[in-house]
Amino acid sequence: ELARTAALPLETDDKLAREVASVLEPTVKVGRSIFLGRCALCHGSEALGDGRMSPRLNPKPVNLTMSRAPGSYVKTVITMGGGAVGRSPRMPPWGGNLTDSEIASVILFLNTFRPPQEEHPAPLSSKSSAKEGAGIFMDYCSGCHGEDGRGEGPAAQSLASKPTNLTLSRMPDGYMRTLIGEGSASVGRSPNMPPWKDTLTPVQIDSVIKHINTLRPPIK
């Protein structure tokens, strides 16, 4: 039996290994191993965004210790890559290389660095409206993100990192609420996005989110 197993083609061995990995219970230990082997080069061994490749990248890798993105969104970014969700194309898609269990393990490991995440935040205020949000977006956001939200506003070219293409974004409403209110630096992203909580009311911020949701695909 050992001889027969040893004679199996390498691709068969790899397939069997992946089938086993796909049903394993996610663990922090497995996630740490995968992160150090595949992610630390850019994000750094402690997820601070300071890996050996980071000085060569623009925009810089996210400081994951500050990220408040819920696990569902992190899974989407890891699986589909940054470019697929309107973020940096420097982040490759790992869905074809890692199993769901392995990705879940990476997220468990990342959660040991970052603050607790809210998977089911409060719904958007019933007093908010996409129509009001469109006007606010035009006044405060279109200069960088563009009138259509594609990240091509008149100020975009002067920024070190290009504004997010919101038409591709799959950020959950709760995460966008934090991002808009507290600014992008507060969640480990580009410092170009200022905090708006002292300028816009919570209802106005929710209105902006409702408008952005008319520009992008449904969020799952």
Side-chain angles (χ1 to χ4, degrees):
E1 180 63 27
L2 289 175
R4 187 182 70 81
T5 302
L8 288 173
L10 289 178
E11 58 268 23
T12 302
D13 286 347
D14 183 66
K15 181 179 179 181
L16 289 173
R18 292 189 62 78
E19 287 177 352
V20 171
S22 67
V23 298
L24 291 177
E25 189 73 19
T27 68
V28 171
K29 182 178 180 180
V30 169
R32 179 180 183 276
S33 177
I34 295 170
F35 185 88
L36 293 178
R38 297 177 183 255
C39 315
L41 185 63
C42 294
H43 287 286
S45 60
E46 296 184 1
L48 295 170
D50 59 354
R52 286 184 294 163
M53 282 292 295
S54 63
R56 306 181 186 181
L57 301 178
N58 183 25
K60 299 298 183 186
V62 169
N63 179 345
L64 297 170
T65 68
M66 297 181 67
S67 172
R68 297 181 192 175
S72 56
Y73 178 60
V74 177
K75 178 180 178 181
T76 299
V77 175
I78 295 173
T79 302
M80 301 179 64
V85 295
R87 299 185 66 177
S88 171
R90 302 288 188 182
M91 170 69 182
W94 290 101
N97 300 94
L98 300 175
T99 67
D100 285 347
S101 177
E102 288 172 325
I103 291 173
S105 292
V106 171
I107 295 171
L108 285 178
F109 173 66
L110 291 177
N111 286 344
T112 66
F113 287 109
R114 61 195 197 127
Q117 312 309 309
E118 194 174 12
E119 286 289 344
H120 302 288
L124 298 179
S125 168
S126 60
K127 296 180 181 179
S128 60
S129 73
K131 182 177 180 180
E132 180 190 20
I136 298 170
F137 185 91
M138 186 65 66
D139 291 340
Y140 292 99
C141 315
S142 63
C144 294
H145 287 286
E147 294 182 12
D148 57 4
R150 295 182 181 276
E152 299 174 345
Q157 297 301 319
S158 65
L159 299 176
S161 58
K162 187 176 179 181
T164 295
N165 181 344
L166 297 171
T167 68
L168 294 174
S169 171
R170 288 177 169 81
M171 291 183 288
D173 294 343
Y175 182 54
M176 282 205 296
R177 186 186 281 135
T178 299
L179 189 64
I180 295 170
E182 299 185 22
S184 51
S186 71
V187 295
R189 299 180 64 177
S190 165
N192 293 330
M193 170 78 174
W196 292 102
K197 63 183 179 182
D198 293 330
T199 304
L200 304 175
T201 68
V203 172
Q204 288 176 317
I205 290 174
D206 281 2
S207 292
V208 171
I209 295 170
K210 284 187 175 179
H211 170 64
I212 292 172
N213 285 342
T214 68
L215 305 176
R216 63 190 189 147
I219 309 304
K220 297 181 179 180

